[in-house]
Amino acid sequence: MPHASTSSDEKWMRRAIELAWRGAGGTRPNPPVGCVVAHRSRRVGEGYHRRAGGPHAEVLALRQAGARARDATAYVTLEPCSTWGRTGPCTAAILKNGIRRVVIACRDPNPRHAGRGVRRLRARGIEVLEGVCAEEGNRLIRPFARWIVTGRPFVTLKMAMTLDGRIADARGESRWITGARARARVKSLRNRVDAVMVGSGTVRADDPSLLPASVRRKPWRVILDSAGRTPAGAKLLTDSFADRTLVITTSRCPARKVRRYERNGSTVVRVGADRRGRVGLGNVLRVLGGMGVLHVLCEGGGEMAAGLIRDGLADELLFFVAPKVLGGRAAAPVVWGTGWTLAKAPELRFLGCERVGDDILLRAEPR
């Protein structure tokens, strides 16, 4: 039987997880993975998966370790792969380099592969310890796990609001509710996702660019527009990244509008409408999942927020709360629609709270 984990195991696994986050967003459709190789409590190699088709984390760490990998321990955030893809199986590299012990945070969530790597290593006499820093390891791969099991992407709903839950004043002004540091944090979030999604109302009100902090990353920019209300001159449709803009609409959108949206390289997809005649959110996520989108960041507005929460499609909620109060009935609420009774209100679980400049970031997930 494998031995219990030690403080050293947790130390090196946390380092592996830290490394893995560096590759988040760049490895699609693969999950981010980090690896540390340690020999006699000393780190001798480390690496993380940087891009799909490139060397896996284990290969990079073993390459750095060289001959020092013999009889060492490999700390891997995810169960090592055991099949051929664009690269060889990491289990083979581990066996070839004489690793004596493997510590993993979590198993591969892919039902076709889960446990295969662990079984192969154990069959060859390698000690395998599972579940070290499991919560952090599973959080790292949540988008991949959601997509590989359900076919739909992981959905993060992000909203910026005042202390009294408003996203715009009575005149529709929303720039800027939160401060510069909060806005910079959102741009960095875009670096880790595959798509940033807004409704046509947000495009009409704010004309956003939805670009990430690094222009080397080019996530899809998705507009939900059931009837073709998005102005053809919007930044998302006319800037130099227009070919990464996806307009998802319904049969209510006139053909002439579709042609104008496609003029600069944007893509238009029609999906079925919901019972209110709006773009069906479940249909949208199925389309995005089929395109290989693993993680979607939804940035508004209140109608989209209401739909995602109502339909149980928001996997993670990020609320940036500014120390401002708007008041009044006309100021736009963070969640639109008719709402819920107290007895039927969707329940959330808080995951964290932190200061971001003058604002507060609240992280939550459905209970």
Side-chain angles (χ1 to χ4, degrees):
M1 292 292 291
H3 297 94
S5 65
T6 66
S7 59
S8 180
D9 289 336
E10 294 175 5
K11 169 187 171 182
W12 294 127
M13 184 59 75
R14 288 198 172 92
R15 173 58 181 170
I17 290 170
E18 178 186 336
L19 290 167
W21 276 113
R22 297 181 185 179
T27 62
R28 306 297 194 244
N30 301 322
V33 179
C35 178
V36 170
V37 176
H39 188 270
R40 294 180 180 175
S41 300
R42 293 184 59 188
R43 179 177 55 197
V44 295
E46 65 178 26
Y48 66 95
H49 190 32
R50 297 170 183 266
R51 59 179 179 81
H56 286 191
E58 298 95 318
V59 171
L60 291 171
L62 290 167
R63 188 179 296 168
Q64 189 179 100
R68 295 172 294 176
R70 184 156 300 278
D71 294 327
T73 297
Y75 297 88
V76 195
T77 58
L78 183 66
E79 175 183 9
C81 63
S82 58
T83 57
W84 278 89
R86 282 190 274 184
T87 60
C90 290
T91 49
I94 288 170
L95 293 167
K96 179 181 177 181
N97 282 270
I99 289 290
R100 177 181 59 82
R101 182 170 176 259
V102 174
V103 179
I104 66 173
C106 52
R107 287 197 179 193
D108 189 336
N110 187 340
R112 295 174 56 193
H113 301 154
R116 286 182 58 177
V118 169
R119 289 193 296 271
R120 183 178 182 193
L121 292 173
R122 284 177 174 159
R124 296 289 297 272
I126 304 295
E127 178 189 334
V128 180
L129 177 62
E130 303 181 59
V132 175
C133 301
E135 184 175 351
E136 298 96 318
N138 280 300
R139 185 166 295 280
L140 174 68
I141 63 164
R142 285 184 305 169
F144 175 75
R146 172 68 71 187
W147 178 74
I148 202 68
V149 173
T150 70
R152 78 161 176 85
F154 184 88
V155 175
T156 296
L157 172 61
K158 186 281 303 181
M159 301 294 282
M161 64 183 188
T162 61
L163 195 59
D164 58 339
R166 307 300 176 131
I167 60 173
D169 64 19
R171 296 180 297 177
E173 291 290 333
S174 60
R175 292 190 172 183
W176 296 102
I177 285 178
T178 53
R181 287 184 62 180
R183 297 196 298 275
R185 173 70 74 87
V186 173
K187 283 191 173 183
S188 68
L189 283 171
R190 293 172 187 164
N191 281 335
R192 291 182 173 178
V193 302
D194 306 304
V196 183
M197 187 163 73
V198 295
S200 61
T202 297
V203 178
R204 295 195 304 273
D206 298 337
D207 194 21
S209 68
L210 303 182
L211 292 174
S214 171
V215 294
R216 292 192 299 272
R217 282 279 296 137
K218 294 182 180 180
W220 284 101
R221 302 177 301 176
V222 182
I223 306 171
L224 303 191
D225 185 347
S226 59
R229 297 188 180 94
T230 301
K235 289 178 185 175
L236 294 172
L237 298 167
T238 58
D239 65 15
S240 58
F241 299 96
D243 63 334
R244 294 296 292 174
T245 296
L246 176 66
V247 180
I248 301 185
T249 186
T250 70
S251 58
R252 296 169 57 201
C253 182
R256 60 182 175 79
K257 285 289 188 73
V258 171
R259 290 193 294 271
R260 293 184 69 183
Y261 293 160
E262 293 176 333
R263 183 177 300 164
N264 294 313
S266 298
T267 301
V268 179
V269 175
R270 295 183 192 267
V271 299
D274 61 18
R275 62 180 181 276
R276 294 172 297 279
R278 299 165 184 156
V279 172
L281 293 173
N283 295 333
V284 169
L285 296 181
R286 280 190 286 274
V287 167
L288 294 177
M291 294 170 58
V293 170
L294 275 62
H295 192 177
V296 178
L297 176 64
C298 303
E299 296 198 23
E303 184 177 320
M304 181 186 296
L308 289 170
I309 295 171
R310 181 187 60 245
D311 295 344
L313 297 173
D315 299 300
E316 176 184 49
L317 298 93
L318 305 179
F319 290 106
F320 288 86
V321 184
K324 300 174 183 176
V325 175
L326 286 175
R329 294 183 178 180
V334 66
V335 178
W336 290 10
T338 57
W340 297 268
T341 64
L342 185 59
K344 295 184 178 180
E347 292 191 20
L348 306 176
R349 181 172 73 96
F350 282 121
L351 299 174
C353 174
E354 64 176 292
R355 284 284 294 270
V356 182
D358 292 329
D359 306 310
I360 291 175
L361 169 58
L362 296 173
R363 293 175 48 245
E365 66 182 6
R367 185 174 291 280

